[in-house]
Amino acid sequence: MAVVKINAVKVPDEAHAEFERRFINRARTIDDAPGFLGFEMLRPVAGDDRYFIVTRWEDDESYEAWRDGDARAAHKGEQGRPVFTEANVLEFQVVLDVDPKR
């Protein structure tokens, strides 16, 4: 069963551009992770002030292997201080997936 992991991240207003730049610069580095199905970066515009980084995985094990391996290595290579003030991971199982392209 596919799973979705959402990283809910608080970013100060003055750091939005830097936060987005960092994600854009490393966006394709996750493509070859086993079990990775895709991701979106959602910028807040109303209803919440957090960014949501939504990732889809074949299973929890695939996500955990990436999180504990390549993800940690990617974050260690970032220059400067963190650009966010808080981050929480929300976890879900996919119950229904409607894709009009299939």
Side-chain angles (χ1 to χ4, degrees):
M1 178 180 298
V3 297
V4 173
K5 308 297 181 175
I6 301 174
N7 198 351
V9 184
K10 283 193 171 275
V11 179
D13 291 342
E14 66 275 6
H16 281 202
E18 175 66 12
F19 182 74
E20 291 179 19
R21 184 192 61 75
R22 288 183 186 187
F23 263 87
I24 289 166
N25 285 346
R26 67 170 194 251
R28 307 310 305 195
T29 62
I30 192 173
D31 287 354
D32 295 329
F36 176 69
L37 300 175
F39 90 92
E40 291 110 15
M41 178 180 194
L42 308 177
R43 177 189 298 136
V45 293
D48 203 308
D49 63 348
R50 297 175 293 175
Y51 278 83
F52 288 94
I53 312 305
V54 181
T55 59
R56 295 178 311 283
W57 299 88
E58 289 178 2
D59 50 45
D60 281 320
E61 294 76 19
S62 296
Y63 166 74
E64 291 164 3
W66 170 80
R67 178 198 65 201
D68 297 339
D70 290 347
R72 288 188 196 274
H75 287 290
K76 286 182 182 176
E78 290 181 347
Q79 299 295 321
R81 60 185 171 81
V83 293
F84 60 89
T85 58
E86 180 183 333
N88 300 298
V89 176
L90 311 171
E91 302 185 38
F92 302 88
Q93 290 181 333
V94 176
V95 176
L96 178 64
D97 182 4
V98 178
D99 185 346
K101 297 175 189 166
R102 285 188 260 192

XYZ file of all heavy atoms in Angstrom:
829
model
N 0.849 -1.181 0.000
C 0.000 0.000 0.000
C 0.893 1.243 0.000
O 1.807 1.353 0.795
C -0.895 -0.011 1.246
C -1.774 1.210 1.365
S -2.848 1.216 2.820
C -3.835 -0.222 2.516
N 0.627 2.157 -0.909
C 1.414 3.387 -1.005
C 1.215 4.244 0.238
O 0.182 4.173 0.902
C 1.014 4.174 -2.246
N 2.231 5.047 0.540
C 2.173 5.944 1.684
C 2.558 7.351 1.253
O 3.258 7.545 0.258
C 3.083 5.473 2.850
C 2.621 4.126 3.394
C 4.533 5.400 2.415
N 2.068 8.322 2.011
C 2.384 9.731 1.779
C 3.001 10.278 3.056
O 2.479 10.054 4.147
C 1.115 10.531 1.413
C 1.399 12.018 1.343
C 0.536 10.033 0.097
N 4.105 10.984 2.898
C 4.764 11.657 4.012
C 4.764 13.141 3.700
O 5.187 13.556 2.611
C 6.211 11.174 4.183
C 6.359 9.662 4.278
C 5.676 9.073 5.487
C 5.890 7.562 5.511
N 5.351 6.942 6.703
N 4.261 13.938 4.622
C 4.196 15.381 4.422
C 5.065 16.052 5.473
O 4.821 15.910 6.664
C 2.749 15.900 4.526
C 1.867 15.214 3.486
C 2.723 17.426 4.357
C 0.386 15.547 3.609
N 6.073 16.757 5.016
C 6.913 17.524 5.913
C 6.310 18.925 5.985
O 6.318 19.657 4.994
C 8.344 17.556 5.382
C 9.343 17.942 6.437
O 8.989 18.350 7.541
N 10.601 17.842 6.090
N 5.738 19.283 7.128
C 5.131 20.600 7.343
C 6.189 21.499 7.959
O 6.640 21.254 9.076
C 3.917 20.468 8.255
N 6.588 22.548 7.217
C 7.763 23.338 7.582
C 7.412 24.811 7.751
O 6.877 25.435 6.836
C 8.855 23.196 6.491
C 10.120 23.925 6.909
C 9.142 21.742 6.195
N 7.729 25.368 8.918
C 7.573 26.810 9.152
C 8.848 27.513 8.700
O 9.944 27.142 9.110
C 7.328 27.103 10.627
C 5.932 26.811 11.080
C 5.704 27.429 12.451
C 4.252 27.334 12.832
N 3.453 28.416 12.307
N 8.652 28.527 7.855
C 9.772 29.277 7.302
C 9.485 30.761 7.506
O 8.423 31.238 7.114
C 9.949 28.974 5.792
C 11.102 29.773 5.219
C 10.141 27.484 5.556
N 10.407 31.503 8.114
C 10.195 32.950 8.256
C 10.015 33.611 6.888
O 10.613 33.166 5.898
C 11.467 33.449 8.938
C 12.111 32.235 9.529
C 11.684 31.070 8.679
N 9.211 34.644 6.821
C 8.933 35.326 5.553
C 10.196 35.697 4.795
O 10.281 35.521 3.583
C 8.095 36.586 5.790
C 6.676 36.274 6.224
O 6.223 35.127 6.028
O 6.017 37.188 6.757
N 11.198 36.188 5.507
C 12.416 36.634 4.840
C 13.263 35.487 4.288
O 14.212 35.710 3.537
C 13.273 37.491 5.790
C 13.838 36.757 6.977
C 12.906 36.640 8.188
O 11.725 37.031 8.095
O 13.384 36.148 9.228
N 12.924 34.245 4.634
C 13.702 33.094 4.187
C 12.990 32.264 3.119
O 13.524 31.250 2.667
C 14.056 32.218 5.390
N 11.793 32.667 2.681
C 11.038 31.884 1.691
C 11.860 31.628 0.424
O 11.924 30.493 -0.057
C 9.729 32.581 1.331
C 8.668 32.394 2.357
N 7.333 32.532 2.062
C 8.718 32.091 3.680
C 6.613 32.332 3.142
N 7.437 32.072 4.151
N 12.470 32.658 -0.133
C 13.216 32.504 -1.389
C 14.378 31.523 -1.229
O 14.602 30.660 -2.082
C 13.721 33.858 -1.876
N 15.105 31.619 -0.140
C 16.232 30.714 0.107
C 15.750 29.286 0.308
O 16.348 28.341 -0.213
C 17.035 31.178 1.326
C 18.157 30.250 1.732
C 19.288 30.148 0.716
O 19.346 30.962 -0.233
O 20.119 29.236 0.863
N 14.677 29.093 1.052
C 14.112 27.760 1.279
C 13.718 27.123 -0.049
O 14.070 25.973 -0.330
C 12.902 27.882 2.212
C 12.267 26.569 2.555
C 12.876 25.689 3.432
C 11.040 26.217 2.002
C 12.284 24.473 3.749
C 10.439 25.016 2.319
C 11.062 24.140 3.197
N 13.010 27.863 -0.882
C 12.581 27.340 -2.176
C 13.785 27.053 -3.077
O 13.819 26.028 -3.767
C 11.622 28.316 -2.848
C 10.285 28.391 -2.132
C 9.311 29.360 -2.763
O 9.497 29.723 -3.954
O 8.342 29.753 -2.081
N 14.761 27.944 -3.071
C 15.952 27.737 -3.898
C 16.661 26.434 -3.540
O 17.062 25.666 -4.419
C 16.932 28.906 -3.739
C 18.159 28.804 -4.661
C 19.254 29.797 -4.300
N 19.794 29.614 -2.961
C 20.640 28.634 -2.608
N 21.049 27.741 -3.486
N 21.088 28.552 -1.367
N 16.795 26.163 -2.246
C 17.462 24.935 -1.812
C 16.722 23.701 -2.311
O 17.345 22.732 -2.762
C 17.598 24.896 -0.292
C 18.622 25.875 0.239
C 18.772 25.737 1.729
N 19.646 26.754 2.284
C 20.044 26.768 3.544
N 19.647 25.835 4.386
N 20.839 27.730 3.972
N 15.399 23.710 -2.236
C 14.628 22.560 -2.718
C 14.723 22.430 -4.233
O 14.888 21.322 -4.751
C 13.162 22.658 -2.279
C 12.892 21.866 -1.038
C 13.085 22.444 0.199
C 12.487 20.553 -1.106
C 12.859 21.725 1.360
C 12.265 19.815 0.037
C 12.452 20.398 1.272
N 14.622 23.526 -4.938
C 14.695 23.488 -6.398
C 16.058 22.960 -6.848
O 16.139 22.148 -7.775
C 14.406 24.881 -6.989
C 12.922 25.213 -6.801
C 14.815 24.957 -8.460
C 12.564 26.667 -7.035
N 17.120 23.360 -6.182
C 18.470 22.929 -6.553
C 18.703 21.446 -6.354
O 19.574 20.866 -7.007
C 19.520 23.722 -5.775
C 19.664 25.137 -6.303
O 19.195 25.467 -7.385
N 20.312 25.986 -5.513
N 17.969 20.813 -5.454
C 18.194 19.380 -5.241
C 16.946 18.535 -5.542
O 16.889 17.358 -5.174
C 18.701 19.125 -3.833
C 17.735 19.406 -2.726
C 18.302 18.876 -1.395
N 17.260 18.841 -0.423
C 17.160 19.643 0.613
N 18.082 20.542 0.844
N 16.152 19.538 1.446
N 16.001 19.100 -6.275
C 14.723 18.426 -6.530
C 14.885 17.060 -7.195
O 14.191 16.119 -6.839
C 13.823 19.316 -7.377
N 15.767 16.908 -8.133
C 15.872 15.651 -8.887
C 16.762 14.616 -8.206
O 16.882 13.493 -8.690
C 16.397 15.926 -10.298
C 15.642 16.972 -11.105
C 14.151 16.826 -11.172
N 13.672 15.564 -11.640
C 12.417 15.349 -12.042
N 11.557 16.326 -12.054
N 12.022 14.161 -12.411
N 17.379 14.950 -7.087
C 18.288 14.012 -6.433
C 17.560 12.823 -5.818
O 18.182 11.808 -5.548
C 19.124 14.703 -5.333
O 18.251 15.203 -4.320
C 19.961 15.835 -5.916
N 16.278 12.915 -5.635
C 15.497 11.839 -5.012
C 14.925 10.874 -6.045
O 14.469 9.791 -5.711
C 14.368 12.451 -4.138
C 13.728 11.406 -3.240
C 13.335 13.141 -5.003
C 12.736 11.972 -2.244
N 14.964 11.232 -7.305
C 14.307 10.447 -8.355
C 14.644 8.965 -8.354
O 13.786 8.131 -8.625
C 14.648 11.012 -9.738
C 13.945 12.320 -10.033
O 13.100 12.750 -9.223
O 14.264 12.921 -11.076
N 15.884 8.616 -8.094
C 16.315 7.221 -8.180
C 16.203 6.457 -6.861
O 16.623 5.301 -6.787
C 17.755 7.148 -8.690
C 17.870 7.657 -10.122
O 16.901 7.500 -10.894
O 18.915 8.235 -10.465
N 15.632 7.078 -5.838
C 15.468 6.386 -4.556
C 14.486 5.230 -4.737
O 13.390 5.427 -5.273
C 14.958 7.348 -3.488
N 14.860 4.030 -4.327
C 13.943 2.898 -4.457
C 12.611 3.180 -3.750
O 12.590 3.654 -2.617
C 14.692 1.753 -3.771
C 16.133 2.138 -3.870
C 16.148 3.643 -3.743
N 11.518 2.938 -4.441
C 10.190 3.109 -3.865
C 9.630 4.512 -3.958
O 8.483 4.750 -3.574
N 10.404 5.471 -4.467
C 9.942 6.852 -4.581
C 8.965 6.991 -5.738
O 9.230 6.547 -6.849
C 11.133 7.784 -4.791
C 10.752 9.215 -5.022
C 10.210 9.976 -4.005
C 10.939 9.801 -6.264
C 9.860 11.309 -4.216
C 10.604 11.124 -6.490
C 10.057 11.884 -5.468
N 7.813 7.627 -5.476
C 6.773 7.785 -6.498
C 6.583 9.228 -6.953
O 5.943 9.469 -7.971
C 5.440 7.233 -5.971
C 5.436 5.753 -5.590
C 4.098 5.373 -4.960
C 5.750 4.883 -6.791
N 7.077 10.204 -6.192
C 6.959 11.596 -6.598
C 6.802 12.522 -5.405
O 6.606 12.075 -4.273
N 6.918 13.830 -5.684
C 6.706 14.795 -4.614
C 6.267 16.141 -5.166
O 6.463 16.453 -6.339
C 7.943 14.929 -3.710
C 8.954 15.967 -4.112
C 8.890 17.257 -3.603
C 9.990 15.662 -4.976
C 9.838 18.216 -3.954
C 10.942 16.596 -5.337
C 10.857 17.879 -4.822
N 5.665 16.925 -4.282
C 5.294 18.302 -4.562
C 5.742 19.172 -3.403
O 5.737 18.741 -2.255
C 3.773 18.473 -4.700
C 3.166 17.838 -5.917
C 2.317 16.624 -5.573
O 1.969 16.416 -4.412
O 2.024 15.873 -6.509
N 6.113 20.395 -3.725
C 6.416 21.410 -2.719
C 5.285 22.425 -2.794
O 5.071 23.031 -3.847
C 7.752 22.084 -3.000
C 8.094 23.174 -2.022
S 9.696 23.891 -2.468
C 10.052 24.785 -0.995
N 4.554 22.601 -1.708
C 3.402 23.497 -1.678
C 3.721 24.742 -0.863
O 4.099 24.647 0.303
C 2.188 22.773 -1.083
C 1.839 21.424 -1.722
C 0.660 20.789 -0.987
C 1.543 21.577 -3.198
N 3.584 25.903 -1.499
C 3.832 27.201 -0.856
C 2.526 27.667 -0.201
O 1.470 27.651 -0.820
C 4.277 28.211 -1.892
C 4.492 29.616 -1.317
C 4.713 30.667 -2.399
N 5.912 30.372 -3.167
C 5.961 30.457 -4.497
N 4.925 30.812 -5.198
N 7.089 30.182 -5.122
N 2.571 28.136 1.046
C 1.348 28.602 1.702
C 0.836 29.910 1.099
O 1.621 30.818 0.825
C 1.778 28.810 3.153
C 3.256 29.072 3.088
C 3.759 28.280 1.911
N -0.478 29.959 0.873
C -1.095 31.204 0.404
C -2.311 31.575 1.252
O -2.658 32.743 1.346
C -1.491 31.154 -1.092
C -0.258 31.083 -1.963
C -2.424 30.005 -1.386
N -2.962 30.600 1.868
C -4.109 30.871 2.740
C -4.383 29.635 3.590
O -4.145 28.509 3.165
C -5.348 31.221 1.917
N -4.864 29.860 4.803
C -5.267 28.757 5.666
C -4.185 28.185 6.555
O -4.483 27.540 7.548
N -2.936 28.373 6.202
C -1.816 27.861 6.996
C -0.576 28.628 6.559
O -0.505 29.095 5.428
C -1.626 26.357 6.756
C -0.892 25.675 7.904
O 0.192 26.149 8.297
O -1.394 24.654 8.409
N 0.403 28.752 7.452
C 1.609 29.488 7.090
C 2.808 28.582 6.887
O 3.936 29.039 6.769
C 1.917 30.565 8.133
C 2.216 29.993 9.509
O 1.980 28.784 9.736
O 2.670 30.758 10.376
N 2.581 27.278 6.829
C 3.663 26.319 6.639
C 3.752 25.884 5.176
O 2.755 25.797 4.475
C 3.442 25.071 7.490
C 3.447 25.350 8.979
C 3.106 24.119 9.765
N 1.716 23.728 9.519
C 1.147 22.627 9.999
N 1.849 21.799 10.749
N -0.105 22.354 9.743
N 4.971 25.581 4.744
C 5.174 24.878 3.478
C 4.838 23.415 3.726
O 5.068 22.888 4.819
C 6.640 24.962 3.041
C 7.016 26.227 2.345
C 7.335 27.377 3.056
C 7.077 26.275 0.959
C 7.701 28.547 2.411
C 7.454 27.439 0.297
C 7.754 28.564 1.030
O 8.110 29.718 0.377
N 4.339 22.744 2.707
C 4.112 21.306 2.783
C 4.916 20.638 1.675
O 4.738 20.945 0.494
C 2.628 20.958 2.638
C 1.812 21.336 3.831
C 1.162 22.551 3.883
C 1.709 20.487 4.918
C 0.419 22.918 4.989
C 0.967 20.836 6.034
C 0.326 22.057 6.073
N 5.820 19.749 2.079
C 6.595 18.960 1.140
C 5.954 17.574 1.156
O 6.074 16.830 2.128
C 8.086 18.865 1.545
C 8.659 20.246 1.887
C 8.880 18.149 0.462
C 8.516 21.299 0.822
N 5.234 17.258 0.090
C 4.443 16.030 0.013
C 5.205 15.004 -0.812
O 5.485 15.234 -1.991
C 3.069 16.315 -0.642
C 2.230 15.047 -0.701
C 2.326 17.418 0.099
N 5.574 13.877 -0.182
C 6.263 12.812 -0.910
C 5.396 11.562 -0.904
O 4.696 11.278 0.065
C 7.643 12.493 -0.303
O 7.499 12.087 1.056
C 8.574 13.690 -0.388
N 5.461 10.816 -2.012
C 4.709 9.573 -2.152
C 5.700 8.422 -2.321
O 6.662 8.536 -3.091
C 3.767 9.666 -3.354
C 2.689 10.720 -3.163
C 1.761 10.858 -4.370
N 2.404 10.995 -5.661
C 2.973 12.109 -6.121
N 2.973 13.207 -5.395
N 3.544 12.143 -7.319
N 5.423 7.328 -1.606
C 6.325 6.180 -1.572
C 5.536 4.886 -1.740
O 4.373 4.811 -1.363
C 7.063 6.134 -0.228
C 7.891 7.352 -0.006
C 7.492 8.528 0.564
C 9.237 7.541 -0.399
N 8.525 9.435 0.553
C 9.609 8.851 -0.036
C 10.177 6.733 -1.028
C 10.882 9.356 -0.269
C 11.444 7.233 -1.261
C 11.785 8.527 -0.877
N 6.204 3.865 -2.265
C 5.572 2.555 -2.397
C 5.226 1.963 -1.032
O 4.217 1.283 -0.883
C 6.477 1.592 -3.158
C 6.597 1.928 -4.625
C 7.534 1.001 -5.369
O 8.084 0.053 -4.759
O 7.717 1.221 -6.571
N 6.083 2.230 -0.024
C 5.857 1.674 1.313
C 6.693 2.439 2.336
O 7.560 3.234 1.974
C 6.197 0.174 1.354
C 7.566 -0.138 0.762
O 8.539 0.588 1.074
O 7.674 -1.096 -0.007
N 6.428 2.184 3.609
C 7.167 2.861 4.685
C 8.659 2.544 4.644
O 9.488 3.411 4.910
C 6.611 2.455 6.056
C 5.328 3.184 6.407
O 5.226 4.393 6.114
O 4.425 2.546 6.972
N 8.992 1.300 4.308
C 10.397 0.894 4.302
C 11.214 1.702 3.289
O 12.356 2.075 3.573
C 10.516 -0.612 4.022
C 9.940 -1.497 5.118
C 8.415 -1.571 5.130
O 7.771 -1.246 4.109
O 7.862 -1.949 6.177
N 10.632 1.969 2.138
C 11.337 2.770 1.124
C 11.600 4.176 1.633
O 12.705 4.718 1.487
C 10.511 2.838 -0.162
O 10.375 1.566 -0.737
N 10.582 4.783 2.237
C 10.747 6.133 2.789
C 11.810 6.142 3.878
O 12.693 6.999 3.894
C 9.417 6.639 3.359
C 9.586 7.848 4.231
C 9.848 9.098 3.685
C 9.520 7.741 5.625
C 10.043 10.215 4.489
C 9.701 8.853 6.431
C 9.958 10.079 5.861
O 10.147 11.172 6.661
N 11.739 5.170 4.797
C 12.689 5.133 5.915
C 14.119 4.936 5.434
O 15.043 5.556 5.970
C 12.270 4.044 6.898
C 10.982 4.394 7.628
C 10.315 3.219 8.313
O 10.869 2.085 8.290
O 9.214 3.428 8.867
N 14.306 4.104 4.415
C 15.659 3.896 3.876
C 16.201 5.193 3.284
O 17.368 5.548 3.501
C 15.629 2.790 2.817
N 15.358 5.921 2.538
C 15.788 7.201 1.973
C 16.047 8.223 3.083
O 17.077 8.890 3.096
C 14.731 7.727 1.004
C 15.003 9.127 0.584
C 15.892 9.537 -0.366
C 14.421 10.311 1.130
N 15.882 10.919 -0.448
C 14.988 11.410 0.463
C 13.466 10.542 2.113
C 14.637 12.720 0.754
C 13.106 11.848 2.405
C 13.685 12.920 1.732
N 15.114 8.330 4.031
C 15.242 9.297 5.129
C 16.531 9.085 5.923
O 17.213 10.036 6.276
C 14.029 9.156 6.068
C 14.073 10.071 7.286
C 13.122 9.600 8.364
N 13.553 8.305 8.872
C 12.758 7.460 9.513
N 11.489 7.747 9.715
N 13.221 6.304 9.948
N 16.857 7.840 6.189
C 18.017 7.536 7.021
C 19.326 7.472 6.232
O 20.393 7.345 6.819
C 17.799 6.210 7.752
C 16.616 6.286 8.715
O 16.229 7.405 9.110
O 16.060 5.220 9.052
N 19.256 7.591 4.903
C 20.454 7.527 4.068
C 20.668 8.794 3.276
O 21.263 9.760 3.757
N 20.144 8.811 2.051
C 20.379 9.922 1.128
C 19.857 11.256 1.641
O 20.463 12.296 1.395
C 19.754 9.620 -0.236
C 20.500 8.524 -0.979
O 21.621 8.175 -0.556
O 19.955 8.021 -1.975
N 18.744 11.270 2.339
C 18.185 12.540 2.825
C 19.118 13.194 3.832
O 19.350 14.401 3.788
C 16.810 12.323 3.450
N 19.643 12.413 4.740
C 20.584 12.965 5.730
C 21.831 13.516 5.044
O 22.321 14.577 5.393
C 20.974 11.898 6.754
C 19.877 11.558 7.712
C 20.406 10.640 8.806
N 19.331 10.009 9.518
C 18.692 10.544 10.546
N 19.038 11.734 10.971
N 17.715 9.899 11.146
N 22.331 12.795 4.065
C 23.532 13.242 3.356
C 23.270 14.552 2.616
O 24.118 15.443 2.620
C 23.988 12.156 2.381
N 22.091 14.705 2.017
C 21.758 15.930 1.278
C 21.716 17.135 2.206
O 22.197 18.210 1.868
C 20.428 15.768 0.560
N 21.154 16.960 3.385
C 21.046 18.079 4.328
C 22.405 18.479 4.893
O 22.639 19.647 5.174
C 20.079 17.747 5.461
C 18.650 17.766 5.020
N 17.997 18.926 4.687
C 17.763 16.768 4.852
C 16.762 18.645 4.332
N 16.600 17.343 4.408
N 23.311 17.524 5.047
C 24.646 17.850 5.573
C 25.430 18.727 4.621
O 26.274 19.501 5.027
C 25.426 16.561 5.864
C 24.965 15.843 7.094
C 25.799 14.611 7.349
C 25.281 13.886 8.573
N 25.990 12.636 8.816
N 25.128 18.633 3.319
C 25.863 19.402 2.336
C 25.386 20.837 2.181
O 25.993 21.613 1.468
N 24.300 21.219 2.840
C 23.775 22.576 2.690
C 24.654 23.590 3.405
O 25.124 23.357 4.513
C 22.345 22.657 3.233
C 21.359 21.919 2.360
C 19.939 22.009 2.879
O 19.728 22.419 4.032
O 19.046 21.644 2.115
N 24.847 24.716 2.746
C 25.659 25.779 3.313
C 24.807 26.695 4.186
O 23.641 26.917 3.904
C 26.289 26.603 2.196
C 27.200 25.793 1.289
C 28.410 25.265 2.024
O 28.974 25.961 2.857
N 28.797 24.058 1.725
N 25.417 27.248 5.219
C 24.721 28.229 6.051
C 23.798 27.600 7.074
O 23.727 26.397 7.246
N 23.066 28.461 7.729
C 22.167 28.020 8.792
C 20.847 27.518 8.210
O 20.506 27.818 7.080
C 21.906 29.168 9.758
C 21.260 30.361 9.103
C 21.127 31.522 10.089
N 20.697 32.716 9.391
C 19.448 32.994 9.061
N 18.487 32.169 9.388
N 19.148 34.094 8.414
N 20.087 26.759 8.998
C 18.767 26.322 8.526
C 17.885 27.536 8.222
O 17.984 28.562 8.889
C 18.206 25.537 9.710
C 19.378 25.172 10.543
C 20.400 26.260 10.319
N 17.030 27.398 7.215
C 16.152 28.506 6.852
C 14.726 28.293 7.367
O 13.843 29.066 7.062
C 16.118 28.737 5.321
C 17.465 29.222 4.845
C 15.681 27.494 4.584
N 14.517 27.246 8.165
C 13.197 27.020 8.732
C 13.278 27.041 10.248
O 14.347 26.891 10.828
C 12.593 25.699 8.244
C 13.427 24.482 8.594
C 13.228 23.824 9.794
C 14.381 24.014 7.716
C 13.988 22.711 10.120
C 15.154 22.906 8.033
C 14.955 22.253 9.241
N 12.142 27.252 10.897
C 12.124 27.320 12.358
C 11.492 26.097 12.999
O 11.694 25.857 14.184
C 11.362 28.570 12.832
O 10.036 28.530 12.317
C 12.075 29.841 12.369
N 10.744 25.314 12.224
C 10.073 24.131 12.765
C 9.707 23.206 11.616
O 9.361 23.668 10.528
C 8.808 24.566 13.501
C 8.001 23.456 14.112
C 6.716 23.957 14.759
O 6.675 25.126 15.194
O 5.775 23.185 14.815
N 9.783 21.891 11.849
C 9.374 20.920 10.836
C 8.763 19.709 11.518
O 9.300 19.223 12.519
C 10.558 20.502 9.978
N 7.643 19.252 10.999
C 6.958 18.070 11.515
C 6.573 17.187 10.342
O 6.177 17.683 9.293
C 5.676 18.464 12.270
C 5.981 19.356 13.440
O 6.672 18.972 14.356
N 5.492 20.573 13.387
N 6.668 15.870 10.530
C 6.286 14.938 9.481
C 4.902 14.377 9.792
O 4.663 13.868 10.889
C 7.309 13.793 9.337
C 6.841 12.778 8.305
C 8.678 14.346 8.961
N 4.006 14.484 8.817
C 2.673 13.907 8.889
C 2.689 12.672 8.006
O 3.236 12.698 6.905
C 1.629 14.913 8.398
C 1.717 16.319 8.992
C 0.768 17.266 8.272
C 1.430 16.296 10.475
N 2.094 11.569 8.463
C 2.174 10.315 7.722
C 0.783 9.772 7.422
O -0.100 9.793 8.270
C 2.975 9.299 8.531
C 4.379 9.794 8.859
C 5.232 8.762 9.556
O 5.134 7.568 9.195
O 6.002 9.146 10.442
N 0.607 9.258 6.190
C -0.683 8.770 5.730
C -0.513 7.520 4.883
O 0.522 7.333 4.250
C -1.383 9.827 4.845
C -1.602 11.141 5.540
C -0.618 12.117 5.516
C -2.784 11.398 6.209
C -0.807 13.335 6.151
C -2.978 12.611 6.847
C -1.993 13.578 6.818
N -1.553 6.676 4.845
C -1.656 5.594 3.886
C -2.633 6.037 2.810
O -3.635 6.699 3.109
C -2.177 4.311 4.535
C -1.189 3.663 5.471
C -1.740 2.388 6.064
O -2.943 2.219 6.206
N -0.851 1.484 6.407
N -2.347 5.680 1.568
C -3.225 6.043 0.470
C -4.401 5.063 0.441
O -4.207 3.864 0.294
C -2.479 6.038 -0.876
C -3.428 6.328 -2.028
C -1.344 7.051 -0.833
N -5.613 5.589 0.609
C -6.826 4.779 0.575
C -7.437 4.803 -0.822
O -7.928 3.802 -1.323
C -7.856 5.293 1.609
C -9.153 4.526 1.524
C -7.268 5.213 3.015
N -7.374 5.954 -1.480
C -7.944 6.124 -2.803
C -7.043 7.062 -3.590
O -6.619 8.095 -3.081
C -9.358 6.730 -2.697
C -10.086 7.016 -3.997
C -10.359 5.728 -4.764
C -11.400 7.731 -3.693
N -6.737 6.695 -4.831
C -5.889 7.515 -5.696
C -6.570 7.609 -7.042
O -6.604 6.627 -7.801
C -4.506 6.875 -5.819
C -3.545 7.683 -6.662
O -3.904 8.791 -7.110
O -2.416 7.190 -6.877
N -7.125 8.752 -7.377
C -7.798 8.961 -8.645
C -6.888 9.803 -9.529
O -6.577 10.942 -9.192
C -9.165 9.688 -8.433
C -9.827 9.936 -9.765
C -10.036 8.876 -7.503
N -6.448 9.222 -10.628
C -5.564 9.916 -11.554
C -6.213 9.892 -12.941
O -6.268 8.816 -13.565
C -4.195 9.258 -11.574
C -3.190 9.998 -12.426
O -3.584 10.880 -13.220
O -1.995 9.678 -12.300
N -6.685 11.022 -13.444
C -7.375 11.025 -14.745
C -6.460 10.693 -15.918
O -6.938 10.437 -17.011
C -7.907 12.451 -14.856
C -7.027 13.257 -13.972
C -6.606 12.348 -12.862
N -5.146 10.664 -15.697
C -4.204 10.372 -16.773
C -4.022 8.871 -16.993
O -3.389 8.454 -17.938
C -2.859 11.022 -16.479
C -2.927 12.526 -16.425
C -1.630 13.125 -16.009
C -1.800 14.593 -15.744
N -0.688 15.158 -15.042
N -4.551 8.061 -16.088
C -4.396 6.596 -16.235
C -5.581 6.014 -16.924
O -6.677 6.389 -16.856
C -4.246 5.922 -14.878
C -2.894 6.137 -14.287
C -2.738 5.303 -13.084
N -2.993 6.218 -11.945
C -2.739 5.938 -10.710
N -2.297 4.782 -10.390
N -2.950 6.790 -9.756
